[in-house]
Amino acid sequence: MEKYRGLSPAQFFHRNKEIAGFSNPARALYQTVRELVENSLDATETHGLLPDISVEISLDSNNPDRVTVKVADNGIGIPIHEVPNVFGRVFYGSKYVVRQTRGVFGLGVKMAVLYAQMTTAQPIYVKSAPINSDFIGEYLLYIDIDKNIPHVLKMRIRKKENPKLHGTVVKLTLEGSWVQAKKRIEEYIRRTALIAPYATIRYKTPEEELVFKRVSKKLPEPPQVGRYHPKGVDVEVLKEIIKTVRDPDTTLMDFLVKSFDGVGEKTAQDFLHWAGFDPSIKVKELRLHDLEALASKMKSFNKWRRPRPTTLSPIGEELLKEGVKNILRPSFVKAVTRPPSSYSGHPFIVEVAVAYGGEIPPQDQPIVLRFANKMPLLYDEGVDVSRKVVDEIDWSVYKVKFPAPLAVITHLCSTKIPFKGVGKEAIADVPEVEHELEIAIREASRRLRAYITRMERLHEIQRKEAI
Ligand code: ADP
Ligand code: MG
C-alpha cells in the first residue's frame, strides 16, 4: 500500500539542497558566504546606506571541516520580533515586491541554516540592531524542518548603548571544504567589490586579511518599490492584486489605472476597447473565466507603455568604470549603460564594460565577468547568455588578436532576472536581453578598437624612432 503525505517547504529544500546551490561541502560554503553577503548588501545600499561589511571565516581547531562564517553589516537590521521567521522559515522575507534586490525568493539564508544544522547540528546566531529602534536582539535558533517554523533556543533583548548604531551580525557553523572553496570565495568577494565600489568589505580568513576599501562614496540611486506591468501578469497575479483592492465598487477601468505600472486612462480605454471588456464592470465581480481572458489579453496587447525603470538600480557608467579600474587594473576601460528595456513586462537595464591591457592576463578568449542585480555569477558560465553573446562576436573586427588581455564585464539589472535555477548562477538567453547585451558590448568595443589603433600607431612611431 502506498502511504501519502505532504512535504513542508523546509523538508523539500532539505532533500533537494543541490537546486539551491548547496551540493557539496565546497559549494555549500561558497553559497553560504554569498547568501549572507548579499543580504547585507541589500540591507544597506537598497536603503541608501553606504555598505560596511565584514566577512570572517574561521576553522575549528580540532576539525578543519567545521567552518564558521560570520558576516556583519551596518544595514537597517531586522525588526527584533521578525528575526525568528526571517531566519527560520523557508519562504519568508521582505523582498516579495517589484523592486531590484539581490534576494528574491525568501530562501537563501534558510538554506544556509538548514545546511549548518544538518551537518554540524549547530543553530544560527543572529544579532540585530534595527535602525530607528532603541534595542538590540540576539537569537540562537534553528529550523523545525517538519513544520517549517523557527525553533528559538535562546533570545536576549537589551537596550542599545549607542542608539544610532544599526546593523546585523549573522554567524553559523557548517561542514565545508575551505581548501576547495577558498579561491572561489575570494574571487566572489573581489568581484563584489568591483560591482559595488561604494562598499567597504573586510575579508578575514585563517590565512589572510583583505580590505577592499570603497573607492567612491557615491551610491547608485536606490530602487523604488513599483507595481506590476500589465504584460507580466497571469490569472493568479490578477487574483492577488484584486484581493488588495479595498473599494468593492472599483471598476475595471479604475483597477487598470491604479494597480498597474504605466497605465494611464487613455491606454486603459484603448486596451478595454480592443479587448472587448466593459470598462464599468466591477473588478470584484469578475469570474475566473473573465480573469483568464483578461490576463491573456493583457499579455498580448502591444500598446502598453514600457515598464518604468524606477524599480531598478544600475550602477552607472562612472561607478562601473571605477570598479573595473580598481579591481582589474587595465590600461583601457569603456563602460556603457543602456537605456531601459523590457521583456514579458519586466523592466531591465544592461550595463557592460570592456577592459583591456594592464594587469589583465592574456587569454585565448575574452574573460567574461558576469553580474546580475549586482551579484557576481561564478558558476555555469558556459550556459550563460553573456558568454554566448561574447563568443558570437568576431573580435578581429575590433582589432583584438588572441591571446589578448581582454575582459568583458556584463551586468543585468531587473526586477525579474531570468535565472536558470534558484542557485542564481546563469542567465537564460531571453532574446531582448541578448540583443541589449550585444549592442552594449559592440558600443564599448568600438572605443577599444580606437584605443588599439592608437597604441599601434604609437608603437609604429617608437619603432621608427628606434631605427
Ligand atoms: P531573500 O534575501 O531572498 O529575501 P533570505 O532568506 O536570504 O531571503 O532573507 C530573508 C529576509 O531576511 C530578507 O528578505 C530580509 O528581510 C531579511 N534579512 C536577512 N539578512 C538580513 C540582513 N543582514 N539585514 C537586514 N535584513 C536581513
Ligand atoms: Mg537573501
Side-chain angles (χ1 to χ4, degrees):
M1 275 293 256
E2 293 286 62
K3 280 200 172 142
Y4 296 89
R5 68 178 183 102
L7 212 57
S8 86
Q11 283 172 322
F12 174 79
F13 283 102
H14 175 224
R15 293 177 179 208
N16 300 289
K17 43 195 183 317
E18 308 70 28
I19 62 177
F22 289 72
S23 43
N24 58 56
R27 192 73 196 266
L29 181 53
Y30 158 81
Q31 196 71 29
T32 297
V33 171
R34 195 181 144 174
E35 298 295 355
L36 299 187
V37 169
E38 284 165 9
N39 281 347
S40 288
L41 286 164
D42 277 346
T44 45
E45 55 156 287
T46 309
H47 303 274
L49 302 164
L50 277 175
D52 252 308
I53 294 170
S54 109
V55 181
E56 199 179 321
I57 292 170
S58 51
L59 310 182
D60 188 324
S61 49
N62 296 319
N63 178 359
D65 287 339
R66 272 169 88 102
V67 187
T68 298
V69 180
K70 180 177 162 192
V71 175
D73 65 57
N74 62 335
I76 56 166
I78 300 137
I80 294 173
H81 66 278
E82 290 284 10
V83 170
N85 276 330
V86 147
F87 291 96
R89 199 167 134 192
V90 170
F91 299 144
Y92 194 91
S94 60
K95 301 173 199 164
Y96 299 130
V97 288
V98 182
R99 175 182 61 177
Q100 175 189 328
T101 44
R102 295 167 175 82
V104 280
F105 303 121
L107 171 68
V109 77
K110 273 75 83 175
M111 285 308 303
V113 177
L114 277 174
Y115 198 85
Q117 78 185 56
M118 63 189 269
T119 55
T120 69
Q122 296 296 305
I124 182 176
Y125 166 83
V126 182
K127 176 159 92 179
S128 167
I131 198 164
N132 302 327
S133 154
D134 291 335
F135 296 93
I136 291 183
E138 279 177 287
Y139 283 88
L140 270 183
L141 63 89
Y142 64 84
I143 301 178
D144 179 333
I145 297 181
D146 267 2
K147 301 203 185 83
N148 188 33
I149 52 169
H151 185 99
V152 175
L153 293 171
K154 259 193 204 155
M155 170 188 154
R156 187 163 82 117
I157 296 181
R158 60 192 157 93
K159 228 174 146 135
K160 282 182 186 172
E161 275 160 30
N162 174 2
K164 289 221 178 83
L165 190 122
H166 52 84
T168 305
V169 180
V170 177
K171 191 167 100 180
L172 41 76
T173 302
L174 69 150
E175 192 183 293
S177 172
W178 170 241
V179 176
Q180 281 181 49
K182 155 162 113 177
K183 267 185 77 180
R184 286 269 179 172
I185 296 176
E186 188 177 320
E187 186 57 20
Y188 169 80
I189 300 282
R190 250 168 53 86
R191 291 197 196 178
T192 300
L194 184 158
I195 203 71
Y198 43 80
T200 290
I201 306 173
R202 274 165 251 276
Y203 178 57
K204 193 169 169 212
T205 71
E207 294 92 24
E208 59 179 350
E209 191 168 354
L210 299 174
V211 182
F212 295 89
K213 262 187 87 82
R214 65 173 59 85
V215 291
S216 168
K217 285 195 171 167
K218 239 182 76 194
L219 265 186
E221 194 68 30
Q224 289 167 27
V225 175
R227 289 178 290 199
Y228 276 101
H229 188 272
K231 250 192 166 6
V233 303
D234 57 33
V235 181
E236 290 303 320
V237 174
L238 274 183
K239 278 203 239 165
E240 210 184 293
I241 305 177
I242 291 173
K243 252 193 250 160
T244 66
V245 173
R246 293 237 178 79
D247 180 358
D249 292 330
T250 303
T251 63
L252 183 52
M253 174 80 188
D254 281 347
F255 173 67
L256 286 176
V257 174
K258 284 192 192 131
S259 305
F260 292 92
D261 177 33
V263 183
E265 301 232 339
K266 171 84 173 61
T267 314
Q269 252 163 17
D270 290 351
F271 166 72
L272 291 169
H273 180 74
W274 172 84
F277 277 98
D278 174 1
S280 61
I281 193 169
K282 289 185 182 140
V283 74
K284 294 269 189 195
E285 287 170 8
L286 291 172
R287 299 288 178 76
L288 195 57
H289 67 267
D290 300 321
L291 293 180
E292 193 196 325
L294 182 61
S296 109
K297 292 281 186 189
M298 283 169 86
K299 260 197 200 320
S300 51
F301 187 59
N302 54 20
K303 289 188 185 132
W304 299 118
R305 260 181 272 154
R306 273 185 173 191
R308 276 184 304 176
T310 50
T311 49
L312 304 182
S313 177
I315 73 167
E317 293 176 359
E318 196 186 320
L319 274 173
L320 182 56
K321 215 166 132 172
E322 285 300 312
V324 170
K325 271 193 197 158
N326 184 41
I327 299 296
L328 300 182
R329 309 209 172 270
S331 51
F332 165 90
V333 54
K334 166 72 184 161
V336 171
T337 297
R338 293 282 305 154
S341 184
S342 69
Y343 77 94
S344 321
H346 309 294
F348 75 89
I349 290 177
V350 161
E351 301 184 284
V352 155
V354 169
Y356 187 86
E359 292 179 18
I360 299 176
Q363 306 268 316
D364 290 333
Q365 54 168 350
I367 298 170
V368 178
L369 306 186
R370 299 168 293 135
F371 297 88
N373 286 353
K374 301 175 187 152
M375 294 181 282
L377 312 181
L378 266 60
Y379 286 92
D380 305 340
E381 182 180 312
V383 293
D384 190 284
V385 62
S386 290
R387 182 81 250 175
K388 179 177 170 208
V389 173
V390 169
D391 286 350
E392 279 170 7
I393 287 177
D394 174 5
W395 287 94
S396 68
V397 171
Y398 304 105
K399 296 203 150 193
V400 177
K401 297 187 195 87
F402 291 100
L406 174 65
V408 179
I409 296 90
T410 63
H411 181 208
L412 173 64
C413 303
S414 180
T415 46
K416 172 92 177 50
I417 302 273
F419 282 118
K420 287 188 164 174
V422 290
K424 303 196 276 199
E425 285 293 350
I427 299 174
D429 29 7
V430 173
E432 291 90 337
V433 172
E434 201 174 320
H435 181 67
E436 283 293 312
L437 275 169
E438 185 181 343
I439 295 179
I441 295 172
R442 288 197 183 279
E443 185 182 335
S445 301
R446 279 195 288 277
R447 296 289 287 274
L448 172 64
R449 182 178 52 198
Y451 170 80
I452 294 178
T453 308
R454 238 178 14 251
M455 295 316 277
E456 279 175 355
R457 276 200 206 119
L458 209 66
H459 281 142
E460 189 70 7
I461 293 168
Q462 281 168 349
R463 216 171 45 113
K464 280 188 185 146
E465 281 173 356
I467 293 171

